[in-house]
Amino acid sequence: GEKVEQHQSTLSVREGDSAVINCTYTDTASSYFPWYKQEAGKSLHFVIDIRSNVDRKQSQRLTVLLDKKAKRFSLHITATQPEDSAIYFCAASMSNYAQGLTFGLGTRVSVFP
Amino acid sequence: EAAVTQSPRNKVAVTGGKVTLSCNQTNNHNNMYWYRQDTGHGLRLIHYSYGAGSTEKGDIPDGYKASRPSQENFSLILELATPSQTSVYFCASGDGRGGSAETLYFGSGTRLTVL
């Protein structure tokens, strides 16, 4: 089955700088790649996603890049703020439905002043 | 206001005991999911449901049952709890519409400790 690897377990970034979280996947059939955020002591919520028919998607300070050839996708956070501190989970799926999602282990992002 | 509500927030159970985790959603979503979150494993799908009366096995269903008596409610049942089931459990509803990718809406989680 699909395996999703998040390459950094932790990431520290100075406030105002950019953060990049990298993920790789194994199944070439995967076509949907969402990101979820979990703030300390809270639940997960959706932040952004990308489909395999595009290689870039931006939403405000978040950008997702997809390299299908390398089976790699990444989340870029620009102008980081304290509220960006959280655990970010990448995921991959071959289908539109969540039962097909495989999650990475998460990257803890810490934004320091 | 929370659209996905889990209860209890924390639970301590004894080995061999029965545990029921409850989830209620007001999103009117057809799909609901139970995950567990463990260090080193991320989120893993236990059971899911397409609607009232339906339950399906996820990736790690062994030792768990699920029940979906209504659109709003989805329970996870551990008939004979074991220490290996100590974990944080998340319920989610999904807005799957077939033509576009499904977004999950998570509850706050239940921390279960089996002694």
Side-chain angles (χ1 to χ4, degrees), chain A residues 32-34 36-38 41-47 49 51 87 89 95-106, chain B residues 9 31 33 35 37 40-43 45 48 50 59 90 96-109:
Chain A
Y32 175 61
F33 307 91
Y36 284 82
K37 175 182 180 182
Q38 184 178 29
K42 297 188 178 180
S43 191
L44 293 84
H45 66 268
F46 171 84
V47 288
D49 60 6
R51 301 297 301 263
I87 301 174
F89 293 90
S95 80
N96 279 337
Y97 291 101
Q99 62 265 30
L101 276 176
T102 300
F103 285 86
L105 297 187
Chain B
R9 288 298 306 272
N31 301 337
Y33 302 85
Y35 291 91
Q37 183 181 34
H41 288 281
L43 276 167
L45 180 63
Y48 59 99
Y50 293 120
D59 299 324
F90 286 101
R97 292 178 292 272
S100 58
E102 182 172 34
T103 296
L104 291 171
Y105 298 82
F106 285 88
S108 300

Side-chain angles (χ1 to χ4, degrees), chain B residues 77-105:
Chain B
I77 303 150
L78 290 67
E79 295 275 7
L80 295 168
T82 69
S84 64
Q85 294 175 312
T86 293
S87 185
V88 179
Y89 292 85
F90 286 101
C91 174
S93 70
D95 63 357
R97 292 178 292 272
S100 58
E102 182 172 34
T103 296
L104 291 171
Y105 298 82

Side-chain angles (χ1 to χ4, degrees), chain B residues 48-64:
Chain B
Y48 59 99
S49 168
Y50 293 120
S54 123
T55 60
E56 306 289 338
K57 293 180 179 179
D59 299 324
I60 53 163
D62 292 347
Y64 302 93

